Amino acid sequence: MSDDPGKIRCDACPVLCYIREGMLGACDRYANRGGKLTRTDPHVLLERTKSRGGELVSFAGRSRDWDGKLVEGPETFVTAIGAGTTYPDYKPAPFIISSDVTGVDMVTVVTEGIFSYCGVKVKIDTDRHLGHEATPVRVAGEQIGHVTTAEYGSQMLSLGGVRHLTGGSKKEGRVTCQSLLDLSNRRPVEVTVDGGTTVIIEAGKAPIINGQLEERMRVGCGSATIGMFAKQWMGLVDDVVVVDDHITGVLSEHQAGKFLGVRDTGIKMKGHRSTPGRYFKVAQPGTGWGGTDLSDPLSILRPFDPKEAWRGLRLLMVSTTGEHSAYFELDEALLPVEKELPPALKLSVERIKENCEPALSTVLFMAGAGGSLRAGVTENPVRLTNSVKASITRVTAGGAPCYVWPGGGITYMVDVTTLPDNAFGSVPTPALVGPIEFTMPHNAYAALGGHVDHVRRLEDVLKEHGKKRVAAP
Ligand code: SF4
C-alpha cells in the first residue's frame, strides 16, 4: 500500500507503479486521472470494410459521437491496442466480446500481452555483405542481436529475444527493448554490425547501408541473371560475366549460353567452379560489385585461353542489380581494354535494373503467447493452445493476421507494417507490450473453459465506452 492516499497502484505489469493524481506510470501507458487508473492510449477499432487493412477508428475518445445506432456493423473489430492487460494473469482478459460474423456467434478475447520472450526478425533486401553469420548487431554499443542466415537476395538479422532483454546488463536490456519498440512501431533504428557496417532499418522503407540508400534488391543470383537475360545479349556481345557473391555466372559456359549456341571464348575465372558457367567465391563478400568486395571486376579473371579467345572479343561485366557494369574488348595480347558501353548493352543493363524489386527492410515481430496470458482467455490454458493448433481459434495482433509456429506454445510472427500505428508499447522490466486477439466460435470458447461469464456483446461494449476513455481493468 502507498502512504500517499492520492496515489493509486497500477497492477497491469510486474512493476506495480504507484501513480499520483495527474501523473503517468513508468511506461506512460497508464495514468491516474481523477483517482482512476486509465489507459492513456485510445483503444483501437478496425473497420474492415473500408479498405484492405481497414480504416482505424479510435474506440475511446473517437472523433465522431456515437449516434445511438447498434454498432457499426459486423465488420467492426475490437483490437487489443490500448485494451490493457490481464496481468497478474488470473484475471479474465480486459475485453471478451461476442459478435455475429456472417451469422456465426463469435467471441474475440482481447488483451495486450507483456512479452519477455520476443524479438524481431529483420529482412534487408540487399546483396551487400553486412556481416558473417552470428556477428553481433549493436545499438549504442550494446548487443541487441546478430546476423543470421541470409535469404535469397536479402540479409537477415535476428534482434531482441529474452537473452538480450533480461539476460545481460540493465543497459543492454533497456537498449534492446527501446530498439525493438521503435522497430515494431515502424520507427527508424540505426544498428552497427561488428566489423563496421551500419544499417538504418525502418519497416517498409529502403535500408540505408553505410549511409547509402539501397534502391534495388538483386534480380537473382549471377546464374539466374544469365538465365533470364541470355537471349537479349545475343549478337550484342560475345561473353557476359554476372558478378555475384553467391554464384557468378558466365554466359559462354552456362547452359543458357550453350543452348543458344554461344561459342567458347576462352574466358578463365577465379573462384570455385560449381557447374558449367556457375562459380562460387570469386571474391570476398563486401559492399562492392554484386555483394563482393570487388571494385575492379577484372580481378576475378585469369588470362584468356589463346586457343579460343580472339582479338576484338566483346565482354560485358555486370552486377546482379545492374548497379555496376563495364564493357571490354580484347586487344592483340588478349587483354581486356575498357570501352564505352554500347547503347544496346546499356539497355540490357537498364533491363536488369528494371527487373529488380525495390529494396525494403521488413520487420516481423515474434513472440510467445503460450504462457500465462492464456489464463485471461480460459481457466484451462492448454485448451487454448490446442484450439489454436487445430485452427479453431484465430490469432491476430492489432487485427493483423499472424503466423503461428507449429509445435509447442503459441509462438507467432506478424509483419509490423500490417498493424495500426504505435500498436506496441513497453514496460520497464524490460519487456514489450503487444496486442493480441483470439477469435473463435462462441461454443468453442465455452468448450475450452473460457470466461463465458465475462462475455459482453460488442454493441454493449461500444455503447458503454463509445464516448469516453476506457478505464484500466
Ligand atoms: S510500468 Fe506501466 S503497466 Fe507497469 S505498473 Fe507501471 S504504469 Fe502500470
Side-chain angles (χ1 to χ4, degrees):
M1 287 293 292
S2 164
D3 297 338
D4 184 342
K7 284 183 182 173
I8 53 173
R9 200 184 76 164
C10 174
D11 64 354
C13 94
V15 177
L16 300 174
C17 296
Y18 283 101
I19 311 175
R20 268 207 198 93
E21 162 65 34
M23 305 297 281
L24 294 166
C27 63
D28 292 353
R29 297 167 57 248
Y30 285 89
N32 178 343
R33 293 215 170 107
K36 200 164 183 191
L37 187 64
T38 307
R39 183 73 174 85
T40 51
D41 302 302
H43 192 179
V44 173
L45 288 186
L46 290 178
E47 288 199 50
R48 296 181 182 286
T49 48
K50 299 286 190 236
S51 63
R52 192 182 160 274
E55 178 182 304
L56 308 184
V57 180
S58 74
F59 176 28
R62 56 192 182 176
S63 55
R64 67 195 155 91
D65 284 346
W66 182 62
D67 61 5
K69 268 199 322 209
L70 281 187
V71 198
E72 274 79 340
E75 299 298 331
T76 304
F77 183 80
V78 178
T79 76
I81 302 165
T85 69
T86 60
Y87 194 80
D89 298 324
Y90 61 82
K91 297 183 288 191
F95 292 92
I96 304 176
I97 296 165
S98 75
S99 58
D100 286 339
V101 178
T102 57
V104 180
D105 189 8
M106 300 294 286
V107 170
T108 300
V109 183
V110 168
T111 186
E112 289 180 302
I114 303 174
F115 297 113
S116 303
Y117 280 86
C118 73
V120 294
K121 306 295 175 212
V122 182
K123 173 172 165 282
I124 299 170
D125 299 334
T126 182
D127 58 4
R128 284 177 227 281
H129 179 71
L130 305 182
H132 292 290
E133 271 178 36
T135 302
V137 175
R138 298 178 194 274
V139 168
E142 297 296 324
Q143 186 178 354
I144 65 160
H146 60 272
V147 177
T148 188
T149 318
E151 299 297 344
Y152 196 92
S154 308
Q155 307 296 321
M156 304 292 293
L157 307 180
S158 179
L159 306 180
V162 71
R163 196 174 74 74
H164 295 298
L165 278 170
T166 57
S169 68
K170 273 193 173 164
K171 188 179 173 207
E172 180 180 341
R174 229 178 20 247
V175 170
T176 301
C177 187
Q178 188 60 47
S179 304
L180 294 181
L181 182 63
D182 288 340
L183 287 168
S184 300
N185 282 335
R186 307 196 293 271
R187 292 192 284 263
V189 171
E190 179 166 336
V191 302
T192 56
V193 182
D194 282 7
T197 313
T198 66
V199 189
I200 299 177
I201 305 161
E202 185 176 353
K205 300 268 174 69
I208 300 171
I209 299 166
N210 291 338
Q212 201 183 333
L213 189 76
E214 187 68 285
E215 288 175 32
R216 283 175 285 275
M217 71 185 294
R218 68 178 192 177
V219 66
C221 70
S223 170
T225 309
I226 296 272
M228 279 184 264
F229 297 100
K231 210 164 174 192
Q232 301 180 31
W233 289 316
M234 290 297 93
L236 304 178
V237 70
D238 299 305
D239 212 343
V240 179
V241 174
V242 182
V243 181
D244 179 40
D245 177 50
H246 177 212
I247 300 174
T248 290
V250 179
L251 176 67
S252 61
E253 295 180 3
H254 193 276
Q255 193 58 24
K258 295 283 175 219
F259 192 75
L260 292 166
V262 176
R263 69 183 268 202
D264 291 338
T265 60
I267 195 165
K268 297 282 173 212
M269 300 290 300
K270 293 180 183 168
H272 301 306
R273 189 165 179 257
S274 159
T275 52
R278 301 166 80 250
Y279 290 84
F280 293 140
K281 290 189 175 172
V282 294
Q284 293 301 311
T287 55
W289 279 61
T292 70
D293 61 349
L294 290 176
S295 53
D296 173 14
L298 291 179
S299 63
I300 61 173
L301 299 188
R302 298 183 195 282
F304 278 75
D305 182 348
K307 288 197 222 84
E308 290 173 323
W310 62 95
R311 179 186 168 187
L313 186 153
R314 300 163 299 170
L315 172 68
L316 170 67
M317 297 189 82
V318 63
S319 67
T320 45
T321 54
E323 184 186 328
H324 296 93
S325 61
Y327 172 74
F328 305 91
E329 290 182 8
L330 297 193
D331 64 10
E332 313 83 64
L334 301 180
L335 295 173
V337 177
E338 186 161 6
K339 302 254 166 107
E340 201 181 327
L341 198 64
L345 284 181
K346 228 179 234 168
L347 275 180
S348 83
V349 172
E350 286 304 318
R351 180 67 59 85
I352 292 175
K353 282 187 191 168
E354 186 189 332
N355 275 272
C356 294
E357 293 170 63
L360 289 180
S361 297
T362 313
V363 177
L364 296 194
F365 176 78
M366 182 166 171
S372 56
L373 79 72
R374 293 176 301 171
V377 182
T378 164
E379 288 170 354
N380 204 344
V382 74
R383 289 202 188 163
L384 175 64
T385 312
N386 295 340
S387 178
V388 169
K389 291 289 147 63
S391 302
I392 296 168
T393 294
R394 183 168 185 250
V395 182
T396 52
C402 297
Y403 173 75
V404 179
W405 280 71
I410 304 174
T411 304
Y412 71 98
M413 293 197 299
V414 61
D415 173 359
V416 302
T417 63
T418 59
L419 277 81
D421 291 343
N422 293 317
F424 293 89
S426 69
V427 290
T429 48
L432 254 71
V433 180
I436 188 158
E437 304 96 22
F438 300 96
T439 301
M440 69 213 86
H442 203 139
N443 57 1
Y445 187 51
L448 62 79
H451 304 293
V452 286
D453 295 347
H454 290 78
V455 176
R456 291 182 285 168
R457 293 293 304 169
L458 175 60
E459 49 269 35
D460 293 338
V461 173
L462 290 177
K463 200 188 286 183
E464 188 182 331
H465 297 292
K467 288 183 186 173
K468 63 177 192 288
R469 287 190 176 278
V470 180

